[in-house]
Amino acid sequence: MSQDVLLALLADARLPTGAHTQSAGLEPALRAGLHPDDVPAYLAARLRTVVRVESATAVVARHAVLRGLGASGVDTPAATAALRVVEGEWAARTPSAALRRSSEQLGRGYLRLARRLWAGHPALAALEAVPRGPVGHAAGGAGRTAPAGPAGAGRAGPPGSSGRGRRGPARPLVLGVTAACAGLDPIGVARLVALDDVQTVASAFLKLAPVDPLVTTGWVLAAAPAVDALARDVAHLTVAADLPAAGAPLTEEWAEAHVHATERLFSA
């Protein structure tokens, strides 16, 4: 299968990945006063921050699992250890428990897809073996934990937080492993993560503040150069410690507040 066809398949909004339960933070942003006219700027801000971290993580996860498997392609323990390091670095750059849990929910959906399409692949087996405990900052030695917000990993938190332990691997980890299974290159998986986020926001807006779908399609098209630029910027990364740390405090605040919202259409 060609890279283009594979990317189109994995970016298909009809996939049972759970994206329909997410708004990529748009719902809490609108609740907090974001004007609909500012959604394109919101997309651009996410691409520079949250999405940059997740795209880079997917790229590094792909490299880590392939390197861990080695020339024989069957060294699952080494690949699992490498993925654990990547996950720890991602968690250290995602201080919001709400954002971590949202990524884990999305990861669970993509993991179902990978199990169906690439069952038995050593890279998937390595991912399945990653411990299910709270995510720690594995780089630098066991026992170091990732920075936590009000409901950080490893502590009891409010409903919707990840304080009760990890429910599954984060989305960028799963997509990085999926890329390894499917033969998707680094720039392809980075583009997939970024495009998925942009399309999630556009799709959610139609439910939250209905407009002509051509408007939101225009937003996605306008964001395409930024998506491609982001993919090119992070495609060279191979070391977990080199992941970007692009903070988005307001996005994190909105996500944490959304956990407590009693009336909402999306879980995140």
Side-chain angles (χ1 to χ4, degrees):
M1 185 181 296
S2 73
Q3 291 274 316
D4 290 342
V5 172
L6 183 59
L7 184 60
L9 168 66
L10 294 175
D12 192 330
R14 294 170 297 182
L15 288 178
T17 59
H20 58 282
T21 71
Q22 311 282 321
S23 71
L26 180 65
E27 184 173 24
L30 292 174
R31 283 179 175 271
L34 180 75
H35 194 279
D37 291 345
D38 291 330
V39 174
Y42 175 77
L43 287 170
R46 282 187 63 87
L47 287 171
R48 291 193 301 268
T49 55
V50 177
V51 182
R52 188 177 190 85
V53 173
E54 294 230 329
S55 293
T57 301
V59 169
V60 175
R62 173 194 173 276
H63 176 82
V65 74
L66 290 175
R67 181 187 59 195
L69 289 174
S72 66
V74 295
D75 192 353
T76 300
T80 296
L83 287 173
R84 184 61 170 167
V85 171
V86 177
E87 186 175 51
E89 294 288 354
W90 164 81
R93 290 157 176 78
T94 311
S96 166
L99 290 182
R100 290 197 302 273
R101 173 139 185 201
S102 173
S103 188
E104 290 158 6
Q105 288 174 331
L106 289 169
R108 184 169 55 187
Y110 278 110
L111 185 56
R112 288 181 57 222
L113 177 69
R115 285 169 176 160
R116 175 62 63 91
L117 298 181
W118 293 284
H121 195 288
L124 186 57
L127 177 63
E128 299 270 26
V130 173
R132 287 290 189 258
V135 177
H137 188 170
R144 292 177 58 192
T145 56
R155 299 191 315 182
S161 78
S162 58
R164 293 187 177 87
R166 189 164 58 89
R167 290 175 171 246
R171 174 181 71 150
L173 216 68
V174 180
L175 286 178
V177 170
T178 297
C181 293
L184 195 62
D185 64 20
I187 198 168
V189 69
R191 185 180 288 119
L192 171 62
V193 174
L195 181 60
D196 179 62
D197 197 86
V198 170
Q199 293 195 121
T200 296
V201 171
S203 176
F205 189 85
L206 293 175
K207 299 183 177 83
L208 293 166
V211 296
D212 187 334
L214 291 178
V215 173
T216 56
T217 300
W219 293 345
V220 175
L221 184 62
V227 167
D228 284 338
L230 168 58
R232 290 193 298 270
D233 284 348
V234 303
H236 70 284
L237 295 173
T238 58
V239 179
D242 292 339
L243 290 175
L250 192 54
T251 298
E252 293 159 8
E253 179 182 337
W254 288 339
E256 294 293 336
H258 192 62
V259 169
H260 303 282
T262 56
E263 295 179 2
R264 57 186 183 179
L265 292 179
F266 298 96
S267 64

